[in-house]
Amino acid sequence: MEDLEETLFEDFENYSYAQEYYSSESDLEEKVHLGAVHWISLVLYCFAFVLGVPGNATVIWFTGFKWKKTVTTLWFLNLAIADFIFVLFMPLYISYVAMNFHWPFGIWLCKANSFIAQLNMFASVFFLTVISLDRYVHLIHPVLSHRHRTLKNSLIVIILVWLLASLIGGPALYFRDILQFNNHTICYNNFHENDSDLTLMRHHVLTWVKFIVGYLFPLLTMSICYSCLIFKVKKRSILTSSKHFWTTLAVVMAFLICWTPYQLFSIWELTIHHNSYFYHILQAGIPLSTGLAFLNSCLNPILYVLISKKFQVHFRASVAEILKYTLWEVSCSGTVSEQLRNSETKNLCLLETAQ
C-alpha cells in the first residue's frame, strides 16, 4: 500500500497542472521560502476577491438591470458575470492554499470548483477578445457594423463564447480527482495513473490548447485590433488618440501582466516529465502566477467599464436617480407622518372642546 501511495504521489508531483502542488520532502529553508511565496499568493487571491465581488456586482447591476440593453452592455454584462462567478468560488481555492494545499471539500467540489474556475476564466478572456473585435468593426467598418451588429447576433456570439469556454474547461470534470497522502487530501489532475505515455500526451494537448486558444489568439486579436484603432484615431485627433492610446495600452498590458506568467509556467511545467531540476521553482511560481491570473477578473470592470466616460456619466445619473427616489420616499413618508400628526392633534382638540 505504501509503495502504491508513493507511486501515486510521484505521478501527482509531475502532473499538478498549474493549479495546486504539495510537497512532503523539502528542507527548512525551502519550506520558509515557499511559505513566503504562498502568503504573497494568498494576498493576491484575497485582493482579487475583495475587489472583484463589488466591482463586478456593480457592473452587473447597472448593465443588467438599470440600463437599456444594447450590444455593448451585453458584452460588459457577460464579462462581469464570468468574472463575478469566478471570484465567488475563490474562497474555496483560498482555503485550499491556506491549509497547505489540503482539500477537505470532497471530490465533487474538487471537480466543480476547477471546472467553474476554468470556465469563467476563459469566458472572461474570450469576452475581452470579443469586445476588442467589436470595437474594431464598429469604428473601422461602420457599414458592416450597422448591418450585422444586432442584439440577436450578439446573443449568438455570447452563447458560442460560453460553449467554447465550457469545452475548454470540460476536461476538469473528467480528470480532476483527489488523493489521500500523509493526512493530506489533494485535488489534482489524474490524467492516468498507470500509462505514462497517455498522461504525457493528455497533459501536452490540454496545455497547448489552453495556451493557443485561451492566450495566444486573444492576445494577438486584441493587439491587432487596438493597434489599428490607435492608428485610425491618430489621424483624426491627437488629443483623442492620446486618451485612447493610454486606455488601450492599459488594457493590453493588464492582460499581458496577468496571464503571461500563468501560461509560461503551464508550459514550463511540461518539462517536469523529463527533468525535475526546476520542480522547486515551479512550486513557488505556479501559485504566484495563478494569483496574477486571478487579478485580471477584478481589473476588468475597472479597465473596461469604470474608466469609461460613458459609464461614469450613466453611473452618476443612476446614483442620482436612486438618491432622488430615496429622498422622495423619505419626503413622502415625512409628509404623511406630519399629516397624521396634525390630524391626530386636530381630533384631540375637537374632543377636548366637546368635553
Side-chain angles (χ1 to χ4, degrees), residues 129-293:
T129 308
V130 169
I131 290 172
S132 65
L133 281 170
D134 179 65
R135 286 181 174 179
Y136 170 79
V137 174
H138 184 60
L139 295 176
I140 306 300
H141 304 285
V143 177
L144 183 66
S145 174
H146 180 72
R147 186 181 306 167
H148 299 287
R149 194 175 183 265
T150 62
L151 288 177
K152 181 181 178 180
N153 289 337
S154 65
L155 287 173
I156 294 174
V157 173
I158 288 169
I159 292 173
L160 291 175
V161 166
W162 283 108
L163 286 176
L164 180 59
S166 301
L167 188 63
I168 294 182
L173 293 174
Y174 181 78
F175 292 118
R176 218 58 181 167
D177 199 359
I178 58 174
L179 172 67
Q180 301 285 340
F181 186 86
N182 282 359
N183 297 322
H184 254 67
T185 302
I186 304 163
C187 179
Y188 77 114
N189 277 322
N190 183 7
F191 291 123
H192 201 285
E193 295 177 0
N194 303 317
D195 191 336
S196 59
D197 292 332
L198 184 59
T199 298
L200 180 64
M201 184 269 290
R202 287 174 172 174
H203 193 182
H204 273 266
V205 169
L206 288 178
T207 300
W208 284 108
V209 166
K210 290 182 179 183
F211 174 77
I212 294 171
V213 180
Y215 174 77
L216 190 60
F217 173 74
L219 178 61
L220 290 175
T221 303
M222 284 189 285
S223 300
I224 293 172
C225 288
Y226 286 134
S227 298
C228 293
L229 284 174
I230 292 172
F231 179 76
K232 187 74 173 179
V233 174
K234 189 175 182 180
K235 291 182 177 181
R236 299 176 181 174
S237 170
I238 296 177
L239 178 61
T240 305
S241 65
S242 177
K243 293 179 180 178
H244 197 79
F245 172 77
W246 290 112
T247 301
T248 54
L249 180 63
V251 166
V252 176
M253 289 303 297
F255 183 86
L256 273 172
I257 293 171
C258 291
W259 280 100
T260 300
Y262 175 85
Q263 295 293 342
L264 290 180
F265 274 107
S266 297
I267 294 174
W268 195 359
E269 190 185 24
L270 296 174
T271 63
I272 208 71
H273 294 278
H274 314 289
N275 185 1
S276 61
Y277 180 75
F278 298 108
Y279 178 64
H280 292 296
I281 299 177
L282 292 173
Q283 280 184 309
I286 287 173
L288 196 60
S289 62
T290 304
L292 283 175

Side-chain angles (χ1 to χ4, degrees), residues 319-347:
V319 171
E321 182 184 351
I322 293 172
L323 290 175
K324 182 180 178 181
Y325 181 75
T326 304
L327 291 173
W328 179 81
E329 282 190 330
V330 172
S331 176
C332 288
S333 176
T335 303
V336 171
S337 299
E338 186 177 351
Q339 289 176 352
L340 288 174
R341 285 196 301 270
N342 291 338
S343 177
E344 290 175 356
T345 303
K346 183 178 180 180
N347 291 335

Side-chain angles (χ1 to χ4, degrees), residues 19-20 85-86 88-96 99 102-118 169 172-179 185-189:
Q19 287 292 328
E20 295 86 16
I85 296 175
F86 175 68
L88 276 184
F89 277 78
M90 199 174 291
L92 288 176
Y93 191 79
I94 293 174
S95 302
Y96 184 46
M99 291 187 289
H102 170 62
W103 184 265
F105 307 111
I107 186 171
W108 291 111
L109 266 182
C110 170
K111 291 177 178 290
N113 182 62
S114 299
F115 169 72
I116 291 172
Q118 294 190 36
L173 293 174
Y174 181 78
F175 292 118
R176 218 58 181 167
D177 199 359
I178 58 174
L179 172 67
T185 302
I186 304 163
C187 179
Y188 77 114
N189 277 322

Side-chain angles (χ1 to χ4, degrees), residues 2-17 21-25 179-181 186 188-194 196 199 203 269 272-274 276 279:
E2 290 182 0
D3 293 338
L4 175 61
E5 286 186 351
E6 288 178 4
T7 303
L8 289 175
F9 186 72
E10 287 174 0
D11 288 341
F12 163 74
E13 280 185 327
N14 290 336
Y15 316 127
S16 59
Y17 201 52
Y21 88 102
Y22 172 72
S23 177
S24 61
E25 295 182 2
L179 172 67
Q180 301 285 340
F181 186 86
I186 304 163
Y188 77 114
N189 277 322
N190 183 7
F191 291 123
H192 201 285
E193 295 177 0
N194 303 317
S196 59
T199 298
H203 193 182
E269 190 185 24
I272 208 71
H273 294 278
H274 314 289
S276 61
Y279 178 64

